[in-house]
Amino acid sequence: AWKVAPALAAGCAVVLKPSELSPLSALQLGAIATEAGLPAGLLNVLPGGGAVGAWLAAHPRVDKVAFTGSERSGVAVAAAAARDVRNVSLELGGKSAVVVFDDVAASDAELDKAVEWVLFGCFWTNGQICSATSRLLIHEKIAPAFLRRLAACAKAIPLCDPLDAATADATGVLGPVVSKAQYDKVVHLVNEAIADGARVLAGGRRPPSKPKGYYIEPTVLQVEPSRHAIWRTEVFGPVLSVATFRDEAEAIALANGTAFGLAAAVLTADAARGTRVADAMEAGIVWVQCSQPCFCQAPWGGVKRSGIGRELGTFGIDGFLEPKQVTTYVSKNPLGWYTLPKSRL
């Protein structure tokens, strides 16, 4: 939907190809558009697997491809569009950091507020969002107390069935991941990290209360950034990787030490530090004193391997437009670039 709105606002007809794992919301959007009176043919929802997406990306009558998905698929989409030199925007993977400075522990209330933002930034949507702040960098001075509180809160997050009407609209709950393939990937990455010495602070397994379904406990792992692959790999599941830092310079270096650059978050009581660190982050989206808010007026997109271009705001609309220059010469005088030969007539 983020791409549909600016494309329609720019006057484009749109073919929306949703993920084959979650097509229902896109189909519902199409039904709403029809009910609202959008003319036929302006918004077309085309469900299907990877072959459908590949066909669309390579189709010569598609003027622009706006893709959201994995880095691997994004490279393939860009290559397909490049054959006909067509416009592309890509919103790809992320491994975003949330940096928590020691001054957030001035009181228990402030510490709890920071803990909640860290939990929300990673576990909202079960971690299945590209911008998830799934790497926590915590100042070593407050790490023991902060991590004890974080682990206790993570263990207390209720697991729910999204088809259960009693919990369908609940907040602060965790559901299953989207598919068996995704479940297997997340479990493999977690088990690999544990086998390599990562310390389990919370979760790390299938919840005993959910013997069926693709449920994974909210997981918090303390890792060594230089050693554990899970620190650098997008998990796309309810897994938070944790490391400590000594000072601001080290925090910035660790936060930027990734191939991705979609988002980042900074939690600090020092406004000047928040601005300074946000400016130093190599990311297209930076949140200060929060994580994950999204506003349709602000540009959305990443740098490095997290993508090309922006969605939302005027930037998003501009991405679906092709500026044209038209120049008209209005002077009655000749250009005078050279002297005309005298007429022989």
Side-chain angles (χ1 to χ4, degrees):
W2 288 9
K3 300 180 189 302
V4 168
L8 291 174
C12 303
V14 177
V15 178
L16 173 59
K17 189 273 176 196
S19 166
E20 62 271 29
L21 299 176
S22 55
L24 297 183
S25 58
L27 290 167
Q28 185 64 36
L29 177 63
I32 291 170
T34 299
E35 184 180 345
L38 194 71
L42 281 187
L43 175 57
N44 311 274
V45 182
L46 184 61
V52 174
W55 175 78
L56 276 173
H59 200 288
R61 294 192 64 186
V62 173
D63 295 317
K64 157 136 188 202
V65 181
F67 174 77
T68 298
S70 70
E71 178 192 355
R72 178 181 175 184
S73 297
V75 170
V77 166
R83 285 194 287 269
D84 294 316
V85 196
R86 284 176 291 119
N87 198 352
V88 174
S89 61
L90 305 171
E91 184 195 331
L92 307 179
K95 192 66 179 177
S96 303
V98 51
V99 180
V100 181
F101 286 92
D102 57 323
D103 53 17
V104 304
S107 68
D108 288 344
E110 290 301 306
L111 186 141
D112 280 348
K113 185 165 67 172
V115 166
E116 183 178 15
W117 278 119
V118 171
L119 292 170
F120 180 75
C122 182
F123 298 131
W124 178 56
T125 70
N126 308 331
Q128 296 173 125
I129 187 169
C130 296
S131 62
T133 40
S134 58
R135 291 186 299 143
L136 168 62
L137 286 162
I138 180 76
H139 193 284
E140 62 183 14
K141 181 179 177 181
I142 64 167
F146 191 94
L147 294 178
R148 279 196 300 271
R149 183 63 176 149
L150 178 72
C153 292
K155 292 173 184 177
I157 296 174
L159 300 171
C160 71
D161 181 349
L163 299 180
D164 184 347
T167 57
D169 297 323
T171 59
V173 297
L174 201 76
V177 296
V178 70
S179 68
K180 184 179 187 305
Q182 187 60 26
Y183 172 86
D184 290 343
K185 174 192 171 184
V186 175
V187 169
H188 171 75
L189 288 169
V190 169
N191 288 341
E192 184 181 62
I194 294 172
D196 196 28
R199 180 185 170 205
V200 180
L201 303 182
R205 58 176 185 165
R206 173 191 286 276
S209 62
K210 298 289 184 182
K212 295 181 180 180
Y214 307 127
Y215 289 90
I216 301 168
E217 289 180 329
T219 298
V220 181
L221 301 175
Q222 191 162 8
V223 305
E224 296 177 21
S226 62
R227 175 178 174 182
H228 294 108
I230 201 167
W231 180 258
R232 301 178 297 276
T233 305
E234 184 178 38
V235 177
F236 224 66
V239 180
L240 178 67
S241 298
V242 181
T244 61
F245 66 90
R246 293 183 299 275
D247 54 33
E248 185 177 310
E250 184 183 22
I252 292 169
L254 286 169
N256 289 339
T258 171
F260 297 108
L262 183 55
V266 185
L267 304 182
T268 176
D270 185 337
R273 173 189 278 158
T275 299
R276 189 169 60 244
V277 174
D279 287 346
M281 291 293 192
E282 296 172 354
I285 306 150
V286 183
W287 298 293
V288 180
Q289 296 298 75
C290 58
S291 181
Q292 305 306 315
C294 179
F295 303 96
C296 62
Q297 301 92 338
W300 181 277
V303 300
K304 299 195 279 190
R305 293 189 183 180
S306 285
I308 301 169
R310 295 294 182 269
E311 312 294 342
L312 304 182
T314 56
F315 295 90
I317 296 175
D318 288 346
F320 291 95
L321 298 173
E322 292 289 0
K324 178 187 290 186
Q325 181 196 120
V326 178
T327 303
T328 302
Y329 187 73
V330 298
S331 174
K332 296 185 180 300
N333 298 320
L335 179 60
W337 179 63
Y338 69 102
T339 304
L340 293 173
K342 292 182 178 180
S343 174
R344 296 183 179 180
L345 298 178

